[in-house]
Amino acid sequence: MTKAMLKQPYKRPGVTINGAEAEVCLWAPLAKSAAVKLESKGDILPLEKAAYGYWQLTTDKLLEGSHYKFMLDDKDALPDPASLSQPDGVHGASAVVNLNAFKWSDANWQNPVLQDYIIYELHTGTFSDAGTFEGIEEKLDHLVSLGINAIEIMPVAQFPGERNWGYDGVFPYAVQNSYDGAKGLQKLVDACHAKGIAVILDVVYNHLGPEGNYFNEYGPYFTDKYNTPWGKALNFDDAGSDAVRHYFIENVLMWFRDFHVDALRMDAVHAIKDFSPVHLLAEIKGRVDELSKETSKPHYLIVECDLNDVRYINPPAQGGYGMDSQWIDEFNHALRVTAGGEKTAYYSDFEGISHLAKAYNDAYVYDGQYSPHRDKHFGSKAVDNTGEQFIVFSQNHDQVGNRMLGERSSELFSFEMQKLMAGAVLTAPFLPMLFMGEEWAEANRFMYFVSHTDPELAEAVRQGRKAEFAAFHAQGEAPDPMTEETFNNSKLQWALPAQGKHKLMLDFYSELIALRKALPALHQLNRKQTFAQADEQQNTLILS
Amino acid sequence: MTKAMLKQPYKRPGVTINGAEAEVCLWAPLAKSAAVKLESKGDILPLEKAAYGYWQLTTDKLLEGSHYKFMLDDKDALPDPASLSQPDGVHGASAVVNLNAFKWSDANWQNPVLQDYIIYELHTGTFSDAGTFEGIEEKLDHLVSLGINAIEIMPVAQFPGERNWGYDGVFPYAVQNSYDGAKGLQKLVDACHAKGIAVILDVVYNHLGPEGNYFNEYGPYFTDKYNTPWGKALNFDDAGSDAVRHYFIENVLMWFRDFHVDALRMDAVHAIKDFSPVHLLAEIKGRVDELSKETSKPHYLIVECDLNDVRYINPPAQGGYGMDSQWIDEFNHALRVTAGGEKTAYYSDFEGISHLAKAYNDAYVYDGQYSPHRDKHFGSKAVDNTGEQFIVFSQNHDQVGNRMLGERSSELFSFEMQKLMAGAVLTAPFLPMLFMGEEWAEANRFMYFVSHTDPELAEAVRQGRKAEFAAFHAQGEAPDPMTEETFNNSKLQWALPAQGKHKLMLDFYSELIALRKALPALHQLNRKQTFAQADEQQNTLILS
């Protein structure tokens, strides 16, 4: 056997507590030397060079809670790219966390079959007054009584400051310190399971946030081969890509294994550029299937994908990536246009009731037709895919928060129309998803907010946001994403669901969900037996 | 039916003679007006706006041989991007050609089954003294007596000047004027068929040459989404890509239908960046299959691909692109290292006889192992693919011409070693390919040459070539690619095959080829029944 055929010495990257010792694994292929720098006493622990650009060490000097950085050659020490904790934010030292210390009480938990999922998307910082995992835990009874059995948590990877949707996360292994960190998330998942609620975690594998991004110092995490809306693409198929793939694959496994998360929702996977024979997602699928055999639990993989391409959800034998389910924004777009919403930007492709009927029948509205907005023929046919492979909603964080003012449906559509929209989602032969607060027609907006600590970047975001909405100045000024006020004004108002029309809406949603659970025709998701017909004159949809 | 669902009014782009009239079709989605400008009298024929950014016209004013350009808005007139003829070079006017005027005599021609192909790669400009298709035709008897039944012609799309390998071609529909143009190629194909020789045409769909490249003036032929070694990628999946795909698909069909070409060899398809649900190559395959039904002839699609990814050659039902065959450079690399060739650059991944045995057995040497040169695990397993899906050689234009001095194997390996290498190729369970002159151990080199007419570009190429080989200055200076001398010194010497050791080599090749044809074990390409074992001590390969 040649050297080239040796099995790789890959371990989980970062620092892993293993009994009384810690295992350190770092990928830094260009470094001549690498060391751990302990922040307390300034001790330097040299790492040993291993194959393929990795460095490793087994040491008893790194303990739970130890603060450390890595030093490459003689350069300034930097946080660990696979840090599990950033107690002082994205620029500070990393802290050791023992993920195995948590005492789980969910041995009897059964992840529901995916077909039964009724999903509730929430943002930790604005879901509760506390803006933490603890804050979510306190409200689980509300979700149980609503009939929800799966929450989808917007990304929790450490981001700069304390206010962010999560898509600027830059430490994919570290749970946001201001949310309660890793242990807080473990506690929340355990509590959810005790209440019969599955946890879907939103993870971002298509880019890394701009602030606190030290990845280039460590190795070729990025490639020039592809460009994304967020700059250079992560390197999934160029020289050095083995380690980058490994980094993200181990991240997937960590959430399932160490956090007992039930499903991942992978953000914008169309921006994962990978021309390898086995696409990163297909490799993830294979590794997660192996893990499922070990854990004897189902672990679902859900993707956000803007390609209408069944390759993502088809089985590997057909050349697919084997993802369990995907979001379909087109259902949302068709629904909102049907409900009288504006027809600008991506909504311009949608025609209302006929397209809504098409979404019911075919999942993808564009499955081969010419799309004016995209200026090309677009999409593939999803004839052989099952209902649970598609997730539908009448609003999510994007459709709300990417508006200049962040208006929810509650502000844009009449009360009765909101009910119709809820009905459309909850009777669809797909998995339904609500956006937090929708169930009581929350009045607060959900706005775009950040809290970058780099003043230049903060100003760039502020100006970028202004420029983006310059054409809409008649509607007022875009809220300043950097202020605490914008964040606070985006929080749910928990007094509302007990009041007047908010209570009415909550009762309506609860009953609709109960109906969906009770009626086999609504939850069996048999796409072949469901047929939607549009009556364009009446602007109604007949389901049969 | 909505507007978005209308069938597209796509026609073949460019000017097509249809009886006494000519059909004009131009894609220029951003133009406010478009017109044909007749060069002789300066007449302006306005084009009519059609759907999807196309412009069209039926006119009796464009005749065979008419010189014309297109005018967009009030800008300078430019050549037709789908020009069939550029009599005055890449910057000059386009000329109308009636492709249906040629009188074919090949009605009884039968394209051999792919498994029987014995391929001979040649470059029109340097194969004969004349450097034209006529020059090739005069030498067909030599190829017949050698036993060749398929010639592969390096790209003939119009390039700047008169000397080019063909990969700087910038008018994919126009046959190089200095080679004899479209009619010359039709005549050559007809002559080949009369002699029992199939014609493979090398076509470049991954980039367009830099000089005479007016495509950006017409529309979004390129996209910022991906980068290639040659700059921005052709736009196969971004806004406007329908027309770009159509442009290249119609080009494929033209070669088969109007030039009776038997197979296309598509250059470097790994650089065709396309994340559509149906990859451009898969769409080409579908359209070519349809054409095959019309013509009742097989039309083969061969790709050069640097990905060791069976997706390219697997059937569509398995998620493949359905290509008939692909080049495997790795066989070449393993063979040359085995023969004692240097181990620099891409050869550094190869270990000699054990890798040659692996190429025999598995087609891909790297089918999942770590490749040091690429610094990643690389390749997929080609277990279920047939022998004719792989094309092997001991040298081609790249391995020869990309050397600083352009030395052929004849200069680098002993006479006996050249014979062994020929044996390795012609006994492999794959399709064999020779590079012109190899059969008589041609002594002239095959160098890199261009004849750009843009002085800045010419100088840039000259300097780039010098810089590329700066480290090799001990071996002498890189020949100047711009001089006619470099081109002339790359021509085959047709006096040689009658002389001494050249004649010996020619006889050896002829006998080997005859043997391959005579012995079922050598031409049935049953990969499951062929097994190669490497003896590393003896540096020999035992085939059984």
Side-chain angles (χ1 to χ4, degrees):
Chain A
M1 184 171 280
T2 65
K3 186 190 160 202
M5 294 177 185
L6 287 171
K7 184 113 178 87
Q8 288 206 52
Y10 284 165
K11 296 183 180 181
R12 189 188 157 299
V15 176
T16 309
I17 295 282
N18 188 1
E21 295 183 317
E23 305 269 359
V24 184
C25 175
L26 173 69
W27 181 61
L30 301 175
K32 302 260 182 300
S33 70
V36 178
K37 185 180 176 198
L38 284 170
E39 292 294 288
S40 54
K41 303 172 209 153
D43 286 358
I44 307 283
L45 314 175
L47 295 174
E48 296 147 18
K49 199 168 173 56
Y52 303 107
Y54 283 88
W55 299 82
Q56 53 194 31
L57 182 69
T58 304
T59 177
D60 58 7
K61 298 224 169 102
L62 278 168
L63 309 170
E64 167 98 54
S66 296
H67 286 212
Y68 70 100
K69 285 188 171 180
F70 286 128
M71 283 178 68
L72 300 185
D73 303 330
D74 296 324
K75 290 186 280 186
D76 288 344
L78 297 171
D80 179 359
S83 164
L84 292 170
S85 169
Q86 289 295 117
D88 303 316
V90 297
H91 303 289
S94 304
V96 175
V97 177
N98 182 1
L99 292 179
N100 293 322
F102 186 77
K103 301 287 174 237
W104 290 94
S105 66
D106 68 347
N108 294 325
W109 162 249
Q110 284 270 7
N111 192 356
V113 294
L114 189 56
Q115 182 185 305
D116 289 343
Y117 267 40
I118 294 175
I119 306 170
Y120 185 94
E121 187 191 30
L122 61 81
H123 173 260
T124 304
T126 51
F127 177 72
S128 70
D129 289 341
T132 60
F133 299 129
E134 189 88 28
I136 300 172
E137 193 177 332
E138 285 165 14
K139 302 298 184 190
L140 291 181
D141 286 336
H142 164 80
L143 298 177
V144 169
S145 100
L146 174 60
I148 292 301
N149 61 9
I151 58 170
E152 175 162 326
I153 307 175
M154 284 170 67
V156 301
Q158 185 75 37
F159 52 76
E162 307 203 332
R163 305 182 302 279
N164 198 286
W165 285 9
Y167 303 99
D168 294 315
V170 69
F171 288 91
Y173 284 78
V175 179
Q176 175 68 13
N177 61 330
S178 61
Y179 285 173
D180 303 330
K183 309 238 154 167
L185 181 59
Q186 289 179 319
K187 183 164 171 292
L188 173 63
V189 175
D190 202 47
C192 284
H193 288 174
K195 298 278 187 189
I197 294 175
V199 176
I200 308 169
L201 186 65
D202 190 348
V203 290
V204 183
Y205 295 153
N206 53 54
H207 75 285
L208 292 162
E211 186 174 352
N213 188 329
Y214 298 108
F215 286 81
N216 269 332
E217 305 295 319
Y218 285 102
Y221 279 88
F222 299 91
T223 171
D224 287 330
K225 283 170 74 177
Y226 315 115
N227 305 315
T228 78
W230 313 283
K232 275 184 179 188
L234 280 162
N235 172 17
F236 293 122
D237 65 5
D238 209 348
S241 57
D242 282 354
V244 183
R245 296 170 73 96
H246 171 245
Y247 175 91
F248 285 100
I249 290 168
E250 287 292 330
N251 187 262
V252 167
L253 301 177
M254 177 184 79
W255 298 120
F256 288 127
R257 189 186 52 219
D258 301 327
F259 287 84
H260 291 205
V261 151
D262 300 283
L264 292 182
R265 177 269 191 192
M266 292 184 269
D267 182 61
V269 295
H270 47 270
I272 294 175
K273 300 295 185 192
D274 180 10
F275 269 108
S276 308
V278 179
H279 189 279
L280 178 71
L281 294 176
E283 189 169 350
I284 286 174
K285 170 65 174 166
R287 294 294 300 278
V288 168
D289 282 351
E290 284 171 27
L291 181 70
S292 273
K293 280 184 198 153
E294 284 173 38
T295 61
S296 305
K297 288 180 197 165
H299 305 301
Y300 304 127
L301 295 167
I302 298 168
V303 293
E304 180 197 29
C305 187
D306 182 42
L307 293 177
N308 286 12
D309 186 349
V310 290
R311 178 189 345 188
Y312 287 81
I313 52 174
N314 276 348
Q318 292 167 28
Y321 303 159
M323 299 293 99
D324 294 293
S325 191
Q326 71 157 111
W327 283 21
I328 36 171
D329 283 20
E330 288 193 322
F331 182 96
N332 168 284
H333 301 346
L335 176 57
R336 288 173 80 103
V337 169
T338 303
E342 73 268 39
K343 283 192 60 170
T344 52
Y346 47 66
Y347 293 113
S348 65
D349 263 353
F350 292 87
E351 312 227 354
I353 197 80
S354 63
H355 274 173
L356 184 59
K358 187 155 196 329
Y360 266 88
N361 293 330
D362 302 331
Y364 300 145
V365 173
Y366 283 89
D367 56 2
Q369 298 80 3
Y370 176 77
S371 149
H373 179 63
R374 298 174 193 265
D375 188 17
K376 61 175 181 173
H377 279 70
F378 181 66
S380 61
K381 298 208 183 298
V383 180
D384 296 323
N385 300 95
T386 60
E388 75 226 45
Q389 293 199 289
F390 304 98
I391 293 172
V392 296
F393 37 83
S394 67
Q395 57 189 323
N396 69 31
H397 70 272
D398 265 327
Q399 284 96 40
V400 177
N402 282 332
R403 303 178 62 85
M404 179 174 82
L405 301 175
E407 307 99 315
R408 296 162 172 275
S409 295
S410 61
E411 201 172 334
L412 299 170
F413 299 98
S414 72
F415 192 75
E416 293 307 316
M417 186 57 85
Q418 290 171 59
K419 285 160 76 176
L420 272 174
M421 290 165 80
V425 168
L426 284 158
T427 60
F430 307 117
L431 301 185
M433 185 175 84
L434 279 53
F435 181 57
M436 62 177 196
E438 164 184 341
E439 71 274 25
W440 69 70
E442 168 62 47
N444 263 353
R445 293 168 173 175
F446 180 73
M447 290 171 280
Y448 181 72
F449 45 79
V450 295
S451 51
H452 292 302
T453 58
D454 173 343
E456 270 183 47
L457 183 63
E459 190 52 28
V461 169
R462 194 179 267 136
Q463 293 305 329
R465 195 76 184 169
K466 264 195 186 166
E468 188 179 346
F469 295 108
F472 296 86
H473 63 274
Q475 295 171 35
E477 186 123 348
D480 183 346
M482 278 293 293
T483 66
E484 222 172 316
E485 193 189 1
T486 301
F487 173 75
N488 285 331
N489 288 344
S490 297
K491 290 198 172 196
L492 295 189
Q493 304 175 80
W494 284 92
L496 293 188
Q499 297 170 11
K501 64 172 191 175
H502 299 296
K503 183 172 185 318
L504 274 181
M505 187 64 87
L506 180 58
D507 291 344
F508 178 78
Y509 265 89
S510 305
E511 276 190 44
L512 252 181
I513 292 172
L515 199 66
R516 181 176 172 101
K517 289 179 172 174
L519 293 182
L522 290 184
H523 68 246
Q524 285 185 354
L525 309 188
N526 190 331
R527 287 183 60 204
K528 311 264 177 202
Q529 285 177 20
T530 315
F531 182 68
Q533 198 173 355
D535 181 335
E536 301 205 28
Q537 252 73 45
Q538 306 277 331
N539 203 30
T540 53
L541 205 66
I542 300 131
L543 298 182
S544 53
Chain B
M1 182 172 277
T2 65
K3 186 190 160 200
M5 294 179 185
L6 288 171
K7 184 113 180 86
Q8 289 206 52
Y10 284 166
K11 295 184 180 180
R12 189 189 158 298
V15 176
T16 308
I17 295 281
N18 188 2
E21 295 183 316
E23 303 269 359
V24 184
C25 175
L26 172 69
W27 181 62
L30 301 176
K32 303 260 182 298
S33 70
V36 178
K37 185 180 175 198
L38 284 170
E39 293 293 287
S40 53
K41 304 172 208 151
D43 286 358
I44 308 282
L45 314 174
L47 295 174
E48 296 147 17
K49 199 169 173 59
Y52 303 108
Y54 283 89
W55 300 81
Q56 52 194 31
L57 181 69
T58 304
T59 177
D60 57 6
K61 298 222 171 105
L62 278 168
L63 309 169
E64 167 99 53
S66 296
H67 286 213
Y68 69 100
K69 285 187 172 182
F70 286 129
M71 282 179 68
L72 301 184
D73 303 330
D74 296 324
K75 291 186 281 187
D76 287 345
L78 297 171
D80 178 0
S83 165
L84 291 170
S85 170
Q86 289 296 116
D88 302 316
V90 297
H91 303 288
S94 304
V96 175
V97 178
N98 182 2
L99 293 178
N100 293 321
F102 186 76
K103 300 288 174 237
W104 290 94
S105 66
D106 67 347
N108 294 323
W109 162 249
Q110 283 271 7
N111 192 355
V113 294
L114 189 56
Q115 181 185 306
D116 288 343
Y117 266 40
I118 295 175
I119 306 170
Y120 186 93
E121 187 190 32
L122 61 82
H123 174 261
T124 305
T126 53
F127 177 72
S128 70
D129 288 340
T132 59
F133 299 130
E134 188 89 28
I136 299 172
E137 193 177 332
E138 286 166 13
K139 302 298 183 189
L140 291 180
D141 286 336
H142 163 81
L143 298 176
V144 169
S145 102
L146 174 60
I148 292 301
N149 60 9
I151 58 169
E152 175 163 326
I153 306 175
M154 286 171 65
V156 300
Q158 184 76 36
F159 52 75
E162 307 203 331
R163 305 180 303 277
N164 198 287
W165 285 10
Y167 303 99
D168 294 314
V170 70
F171 288 90
Y173 285 77
V175 179
Q176 174 68 14
N177 61 330
S178 61
Y179 286 173
D180 304 329
K183 310 236 154 168
L185 181 60
Q186 289 179 319
K187 181 164 173 288
L188 172 63
V189 174
D190 202 47
C192 284
H193 289 174
K195 298 278 186 189
I197 294 177
V199 176
I200 308 169
L201 184 66
D202 191 348
V203 288
V204 183
Y205 296 153
N206 53 55
H207 76 285
L208 292 162
E211 185 174 352
N213 188 329
Y214 297 108
F215 286 82
N216 270 331
E217 304 296 319
Y218 285 102
Y221 279 88
F222 299 91
T223 171
D224 287 330
K225 284 169 76 177
Y226 315 114
N227 306 315
T228 78
W230 312 284
K232 276 186 183 186
L234 280 161
N235 172 17
F236 293 121
D237 65 6
D238 209 348
S241 56
D242 282 354
V244 183
R245 296 170 73 96
H246 171 246
Y247 175 91
F248 285 100
I249 290 168
E250 287 291 331
N251 188 261
V252 167
L253 301 177
M254 176 184 77
W255 298 119
F256 288 127
R257 189 186 51 220
D258 301 326
F259 287 85
H260 292 205
V261 150
D262 300 283
L264 292 182
R265 177 267 191 193
M266 291 184 270
D267 182 61
V269 294
H270 48 269
I272 294 175
K273 301 295 185 191
D274 180 8
F275 269 108
S276 308
V278 179
H279 189 280
L280 178 70
L281 294 177
E283 189 170 350
I284 286 174
K285 171 65 174 167
R287 294 293 300 278
V288 168
D289 282 352
E290 284 171 27
L291 181 70
S292 273
K293 280 183 200 154
E294 285 173 36
T295 61
S296 305
K297 290 179 196 166
H299 305 300
Y300 304 126
L301 294 167
I302 298 168
V303 292
E304 181 198 28
C305 187
D306 182 43
L307 293 176
N308 286 12
D309 186 348
V310 289
R311 177 189 346 187
Y312 287 81
I313 53 174
N314 276 348
Q318 293 167 28
Y321 303 157
M323 299 293 100
D324 294 293
S325 190
Q326 72 157 110
W327 283 23
I328 37 171
D329 282 21
E330 288 193 323
F331 183 97
N332 169 283
H333 302 346
L335 176 57
R336 288 173 80 104
V337 170
T338 303
E342 73 268 39
K343 284 193 60 171
T344 51
Y346 48 66
Y347 293 112
S348 65
D349 263 354
F350 293 86
E351 312 226 354
I353 197 79
S354 63
H355 273 173
L356 184 59
K358 186 154 195 331
Y360 267 87
N361 294 328
D362 302 330
Y364 300 144
V365 173
Y366 284 88
D367 56 3
Q369 298 80 3
Y370 177 77
S371 149
H373 178 64
R374 297 174 194 266
D375 188 17
K376 62 175 181 174
H377 280 70
F378 181 67
S380 61
K381 297 208 185 296
V383 179
D384 296 323
N385 300 95
T386 59
E388 75 226 45
Q389 292 198 289
F390 303 98
I391 293 172
V392 297
F393 36 82
S394 68
Q395 57 188 323
N396 68 30
H397 71 272
D398 266 327
Q399 284 95 41
V400 176
N402 282 332
R403 303 179 63 85
M404 180 174 79
L405 301 175
E407 307 98 316
R408 297 162 171 275
S409 294
S410 61
E411 201 172 335
L412 299 169
F413 299 99
S414 72
F415 192 76
E416 293 307 316
M417 186 57 84
Q418 291 170 58
K419 287 162 71 176
L420 271 174
M421 291 165 79
V425 168
L426 284 158
T427 60
F430 308 117
L431 301 185
M433 184 175 83
L434 279 54
F435 180 58
M436 62 177 195
E438 165 184 341
E439 71 274 25
W440 68 70
E442 168 62 49
N444 264 354
R445 293 167 174 177
F446 180 73
M447 291 172 279
Y448 181 72
F449 45 79
V450 295
S451 51
H452 293 301
T453 57
D454 172 344
E456 271 184 45
L457 183 64
E459 190 53 29
V461 169
R462 194 180 266 136
Q463 294 303 331
R465 195 78 185 169
K466 264 196 186 165
E468 187 180 346
F469 295 108
F472 297 86
H473 62 274
Q475 295 171 35
E477 187 124 346
D480 183 344
M482 277 293 293
T483 66
E484 224 173 314
E485 193 189 1
T486 300
F487 172 75
N488 285 332
N489 288 344
S490 297
K491 291 197 172 198
L492 295 188
Q493 303 176 80
W494 283 92
L496 293 187
Q499 298 171 8
K501 64 173 190 173
H502 299 295
K503 182 171 186 317
L504 274 181
M505 187 63 87
L506 179 58
D507 290 344
F508 179 79
Y509 266 88
S510 304
E511 278 191 43
L512 251 181
I513 291 172
L515 200 65
R516 181 176 172 101
K517 289 179 172 176
L519 294 182
L522 290 184
H523 67 247
Q524 286 185 351
L525 309 189
N526 191 330
R527 287 183 59 205
K528 312 266 177 200
Q529 285 178 21
T530 315
F531 182 70
Q533 198 173 355
D535 181 336
E536 301 206 30
Q537 254 73 45
Q538 306 276 331
N539 203 31
T540 52
L541 206 66
I542 301 129
L543 298 182
S544 54

